[in-house]
């Protein structure tokens, strides 16, 4: 009798010790966590649905889903589920215009104590209807000169005739034309595009493009050719910008290290001709500038020193005058990035 009593007491005690989260607890379950579209072409977007269910005995509450990139849009319906109810997460992925093997993530957080975060994966092996190779060109153009014989190959991947209607460069000094090979068929699905670049203005970097339009495709350009390049003058800079990454000073800051506060930039002659620099100026306060000759007339060093760590991130430029006709004044971008602990 005593043993039976003790057993009953032990069972009762065990029942009283069951954790509170064992009841009225939400539990999220997805039918699948990976959505693989496989090989896909001739579309601009793909859409799918992840289905889920509350298999717990408490109310499930889900936060707004967070895609890993801006090319993915996701929405829930609903975001609150009683036990046993089901819901859907609908997503749309913008594929762009370039061939790519994509793997995107959607993060889903909820009040499920055992699985507070679920990662959903979207996979696509995408081939656009119009495939361009290479997708970008990076010419270096001498000041006053031009870049010629820049070719890309364009292919309609379904094998039908290309039907290119027009090519529209972003600037008048970028020209593009379809180059028909000798003996090529009129209904060919592949051709080459010849691009020439003759920039106006001073030496600089440029980011331009050529839009490709095709007959029967009314939703804008079917592809884009990117033209990233540089107009090279008589002088070159290394690096091409001044950048600091600093931590905001504490209430009692230590003396900043010299290496953290100083940045150096070399200015060289590209043609071996002598030059002079003068009047360095900064639009960012607290930067002391000095031009130091390293090789007389051929190499200078611009020394930029911060007098103290700014209280916030700053940006602007430093500039100096030169004796070079086609580069009378040079501006250098400046960023002082300040992190606050």
């Amino acid at each position: 009798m005593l043993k039976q009593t003790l057993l009953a007491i032990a069972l009762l005690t065990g029942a009283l010790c069951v954790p509170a989260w064992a009841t009225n607890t939400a539990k999220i379950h997805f039918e699948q966590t990976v959505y693989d579209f496989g090989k896909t072409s001739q579309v601009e977007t793909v859409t799918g649905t992840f289905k889920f269910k509350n298999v717990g005995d408490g109310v499930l509450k889900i936060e707004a889903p967070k895609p890993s990139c801006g090319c993915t849009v996701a929405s829930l319906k609903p975001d609150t589920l009683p036990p046993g109810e089901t819901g859907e997460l609908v997503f749309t992925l913008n594929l762009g215009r370039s061939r790519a093997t994509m793997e995107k993530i959607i993060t889903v957080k909820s009040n499920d104590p055992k699985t507070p975060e679920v990662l959903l994966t979207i996979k696509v092996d995408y081939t656009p209807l119009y495939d361009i190779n290479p997708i970008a060109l990076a010419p270096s153009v001498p000041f006053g000169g031009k870049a010629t014989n820049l070719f890309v190959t364009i292919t309609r991947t379904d094998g039908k005739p290309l039907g290119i209607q027009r090519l529209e460069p972003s600037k008048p000094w970028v020209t593009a034309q379809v180059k028909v090979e000798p003996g090529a068929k009129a209904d060919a699905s592949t051709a080459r595009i010849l691009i020439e670049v003759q920039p106006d203005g001073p030496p600089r970097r440029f980011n331009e493009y050529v839009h490709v339009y095709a007959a029967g495709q009314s939703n804008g350009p079917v592809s884009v050719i990117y033209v990233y390049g540089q107009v090279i003058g008589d002088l070159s800079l290394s690096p091409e910008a001044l950048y600091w990454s600093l931590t905001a000073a504490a209430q009692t800051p230590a003396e900043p290290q010299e290496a953290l506060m100083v940045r150096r930039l070399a200015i060289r002659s590209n043609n071996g001709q002598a030059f002079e620099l003068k009047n360095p100026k900064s639009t960012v306060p607290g930067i002391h500038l000095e031009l130091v000759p390293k090789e007389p007339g051929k190499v200078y060093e611009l020394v930029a020193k911060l007098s103290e760590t700014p209280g916030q991130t700053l940006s602007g430029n430093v500039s100096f005058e030169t004796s070079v006709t086609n580069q009378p004044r040079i501006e250098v971008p400046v960023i002082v990035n300040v992190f606050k602990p």
Side-chain angles (χ1 to χ4, degrees):
M1 185 70 179
L2 179 59
K3 290 182 178 180
Q4 292 176 344
T5 302
L6 292 174
L7 179 59
I9 293 172
L11 292 173
L12 179 61
T13 303
L16 292 174
C17 292
V18 174
W21 51 261
T23 59
N24 295 324
T25 301
K27 182 174 178 57
I28 192 169
H29 172 73
F30 280 88
E31 290 185 1
Q32 64 186 100
T33 57
V34 178
Y35 205 118
D36 192 346
F37 287 92
K39 292 184 180 297
T40 303
S41 63
Q42 303 181 39
V43 293
E44 295 182 355
T45 62
V46 290
T47 300
T49 301
F50 288 102
K51 295 183 179 181
F52 58 91
K53 183 176 182 180
N54 181 4
V55 296
D57 53 12
V59 175
L60 176 66
K61 297 181 179 180
I62 308 174
E63 297 181 13
K66 295 183 179 180
S68 59
C69 71
C71 58
T72 308
V73 177
S75 61
L76 284 170
K77 36 177 212 182
D79 59 3
T80 302
L81 278 76
E85 295 295 317
T86 59
E88 295 181 341
L89 185 150
V90 180
F91 67 87
T92 299
L93 172 61
N94 186 351
L95 299 174
R97 298 189 179 96
S98 303
R99 181 188 293 267
T101 299
M102 301 182 179
E103 185 168 313
K104 306 299 180 181
I105 303 296
I106 300 175
T107 302
V108 181
K109 295 183 179 181
S110 71
N111 64 335
D112 180 343
K114 288 190 175 180
T115 314
E117 181 177 284
V118 178
L119 300 182
L120 306 176
T121 304
I122 308 166
K123 296 182 178 181
V124 186
D125 186 0
Y126 176 59
T127 300
L129 178 58
Y130 289 85
D131 187 29
I132 285 183
N133 184 37
I135 194 67
L137 300 168
S140 293
V141 187
F143 178 75
K146 65 188 298 186
T148 60
N149 295 322
L150 303 173
F151 283 97
V152 299
T153 300
I154 182 168
T155 302
R156 180 159 172 154
T157 56
D158 62 358
K160 295 181 180 180
L162 274 174
I164 296 178
Q165 195 173 49
R166 67 186 189 277
L167 303 171
E168 287 190 357
S170 56
K171 290 289 191 297
W173 44 264
V174 179
T175 62
Q177 60 177 312
V178 177
K179 193 74 173 176
V180 179
E181 301 297 330
K185 296 181 180 180
D187 61 350
S189 59
T190 297
R192 293 204 300 169
I193 296 176
L194 169 64
I195 295 176
E196 295 188 349
V197 179
Q198 189 173 11
D200 52 12
R204 68 194 185 283
R205 289 193 174 275
F206 56 84
N207 299 308
E208 304 301 335
Y209 58 84
V210 176
H211 279 161
V212 181
Y213 292 84
Q217 307 291 326
S218 59
N219 295 327
V222 296
S223 194
V224 181
I225 304 166
Y226 297 98
V227 185
Y228 307 122
Q230 182 177 12
V231 181
I232 300 174
D234 292 338
L235 303 180
S236 62
L237 310 180
S238 180
E240 296 182 342
L242 295 173
Y243 178 78
W244 284 263
S245 182
L246 305 171
T247 301
Q251 291 183 349
T252 309
E255 188 70 23
Q257 298 179 23
E258 181 81 4
L260 292 177
M261 309 303 282
V262 174
R263 295 293 181 268
R264 302 175 188 273
L265 183 149
I267 305 100
R268 291 181 170 85
S269 171
N270 289 330
N271 56 16
Q273 298 295 318
F275 65 96
E276 295 181 358
L277 305 180
K278 62 180 181 180
N279 296 334
K281 296 179 181 179
S282 173
T283 63
V284 178
I287 296 182
H288 173 73
L289 299 173
E290 182 181 5
L291 286 168
V292 181
K294 304 300 287 186
E295 294 181 26
K298 294 185 178 181
V299 180
Y300 282 79
E301 186 175 69
L302 175 68
V303 181
K305 182 177 181 180
L306 285 169
S307 58
E308 61 182 6
T309 301
Q312 61 183 359
T313 295
L314 301 174
S315 63
N317 65 71
V318 300
S319 63
F320 47 87
E321 297 175 14
T322 86
S323 61
V324 176
T325 303
N326 63 32
Q327 291 174 279
R329 183 172 180 270
I330 292 179
E331 290 189 354
V332 182
V334 174
I335 297 178
V336 185
N337 201 3
V338 180
F339 297 92
K340 295 186 178 181

